[in-house]
Each structure stands twice: as structure tokens, then as C-alpha cells.
Amino acid sequence: MLASAVVILALVAVLLLVPDAVRVYATNMMGALRAPGEPAFVAGHRGDRADAPENTMPAFQAAFASRLEFVETDVQLTLDGVPVLMHDETVDRTTDGTGAVAELTLEQIRALDAGSWYAPEFAGTRVPLFDEFLDALAGNRQKALVELKGFWTPAGVRTVLDAIYLRGVQNRVVFASFNLTTVAHLADTAPAIPRVIIKRDLPRDPVGLANYYDAIAIITTPTSLEHDPEAVTRMHEAGLGVLVYTLNSEKRWSEALAYGVDGIITDKPSKLDGWIAATAPGT
Ligand code: G3P
Ligand code: CA
């Protein structure tokens, strides 16, 4: 009788402790949540696309060589199920090829030139594998904001997850997605890796949305914050972070800091980093 009571108590203790063991809070990944005017962290959008073609290894190397805290990228699966980095659904804008990423094999995508459209000196640059990005991440100190583009199945999530754990960088990765089903699959399949929801327009109850999906933060737009200026305070009171995208001017940066956002995603990461160092104390 006593033995079964002990077993039951032990089971209850395990059930109570396990969720906490995998719980990651916004502050773990972003530092203390910001008060209005405090410096936000900088995330290089698609690497440092002011310096090199977006979502290519030169853009990531530029970002990793800088003082940035986060490097953002977009992941999609090729027809044969290999994670590669590209923002658009098709390869048309950023390579010399045509067609949807999901309808091209890895071999076809790797044959494309992803640099000439940007500048002649990047001719021959390839569409990177997610593995290459992770190798570079492993050799640097930054954190990665990894956006899974579109809808992802649990099996797809497991592919990127295995690559992350293989390199031991799981404590420096935050997943992001616009797609709420993908966010749910991330929560189920990769509970120990924090996730953020991207919402161009904030819902009426962003805290409820983030908590429902067990997300640590929401990424939104300045326009959305203009419509609901108290949203940042409500998120922070709930222990949740707020990031804004994609802000590229001093005017926008200073408006964002005034709201007390925790992170700014920008196409001009070095400029923003320098601007924050010069204008906002504490960096
Ligand atoms: O992380 C936010 C931002 O990257 C989402 O917009 O279209 O540039 O992927 P997009
Ligand atoms: Ca993105």
C-alpha cells in the first residue's frame, strides 16, 4: 500500500517537473524584457542582406562576423525533402532559375546561381543547405531565428530538429512561423526549442494567442503596435516578448524602442547595431 503510494507520488512529481524541464522563457533567449527606450536586440533579416545576397552563406557570414545577437533565416523543403534556405516560394527572384522550391530537387536547386542577381562578385553563390547554416552557427556565438515557411508536417519539423541537435546548437535556436498549424506541430515535436508566432496584424488578445501555442514571443509590425499601443505592456506582464519586422530607418527604430520592443528585425543590421550603440545606453 505504502509502496504504491510512493510510486504514485513519484509519478505525479515527474509529470509536474517534466514540462518545466523543457520550458524556455522569453528572457532565456532575449534577456530581460525591455522597458520603453531600452536597447532592443538586433536580428539580421535573411543574414546581412545589406552586405550580400539574402539567405546565402556570404550574408550569414557577414552577420556572424558582426555584433548581432540573432540571425534570421527562412527554411523550406525541396521536392526530395532537404531543408534549404530561401524566402520566396519560388526560386525566380533570387536565382537564375524558375519554379517552386517544393517542386525542385536538391540537385536542381544547388545548380542555380543565387548571387548574380545581387552583384557580379557573388556570381556562383549557391542556395544554402540548412545544414551549412547550422555549421556556421555552431562555430559562432549568435542565436538563430529560424522561420519555417508555410505549412510543415511533424515529419518535416523532425528533419530540421535532427540537424539542429546533431550540431548541439539547440539552445541557440528559436523557431518562427506565420502558420499556426506549423507552430502547433513545432510545440508538439520540438517542445524544448522555443517558438515565436509571426503576426502582421496583432490579434485582440496577443497574450492569449502566444500562451495557447506556448510561444515565447510574437513578431509583429509597427503599424500593428500603433493600433494597440498597450500590447507590448500586456505581453511583458505575461512574461512574453515582442519583436518587430522589418524596420530599416532610424525613424522606425526609434519608434520601436519607444514602445519597449525586445528585438528589431532589420535588413540593415550593422547600421541598426551602430545606431543603438550611439543612441540607446546600455549596449
Ligand atoms: O521574422 C519576420 C520576418 O522575417 C517575416 O517576414 O516575409 O521577411 O519572412 P518575411
Ligand atoms: Ca522570414
Side-chain angles (χ1 to χ4, degrees), residues 80-281:
D80 40 351
V82 182
V84 295
L85 305 182
M86 185 163 297
H87 175 269
D88 297 6
E89 258 179 59
T90 73
V91 299
D92 302 19
R93 179 178 61 88
T94 56
T95 76
D96 59 349
T98 56
V101 175
E103 288 167 11
L104 295 167
T105 62
L106 179 65
E107 194 183 348
Q108 288 170 318
I109 286 183
R110 291 287 272 183
L112 303 175
D113 178 341
S116 292
W117 70 275
Y118 185 90
E121 67 261 35
F122 293 102
T125 301
R126 300 292 152 204
V127 173
L129 301 169
F130 183 50
D131 283 359
E132 291 176 277
F133 173 82
L134 291 175
D135 287 339
L137 179 69
N140 286 285
R141 56 159 191 85
Q142 278 86 354
K143 287 169 272 190
L145 186 57
V146 174
E147 182 182 347
L148 301 189
K149 277 286 175 210
F151 167 77
W152 283 65
T153 63
V157 169
R158 266 189 295 277
T159 306
V160 295
L161 204 57
D162 289 349
I164 289 167
Y165 276 91
L166 189 67
R167 289 160 182 88
V169 291
Q170 60 275 10
N171 296 331
R172 288 193 286 131
V173 170
V174 176
F175 282 124
S177 183
F178 280 98
N179 185 301
L180 292 177
T181 309
T182 298
V183 176
H185 290 161
L186 282 166
D188 290 343
T189 312
I193 297 195
R195 64 211 74 80
V196 302
I197 295 171
I198 314 172
K199 271 281 189 195
R200 180 177 296 275
D201 302 309
L202 272 185
R204 199 182 302 238
D205 180 13
V207 171
L209 177 76
N211 283 338
Y212 184 82
Y213 289 95
D214 199 15
I216 63 165
I218 289 188
I219 304 179
T220 191
T221 54
T223 313
S224 203
L225 294 182
E226 276 161 32
H227 291 146
D228 185 359
E230 293 303 312
V232 178
T233 309
R234 300 203 307 280
M235 289 287 284
H236 283 176
E237 281 171 359
L240 301 164
V242 178
L243 283 63
V244 278
Y245 76 103
T246 305
L247 276 48
N248 294 327
S249 70
E250 291 187 4
K251 181 175 178 295
R252 284 303 199 188
W253 298 334
S254 92
E255 286 165 1
L257 293 197
Y259 280 118
V261 303
D262 305 292
I264 300 177
I265 299 167
T266 180
D267 294 323
K268 300 177 177 174
S270 294
K271 255 193 164 169
L272 172 54
D273 182 59
W275 180 84
I276 286 181
T279 58

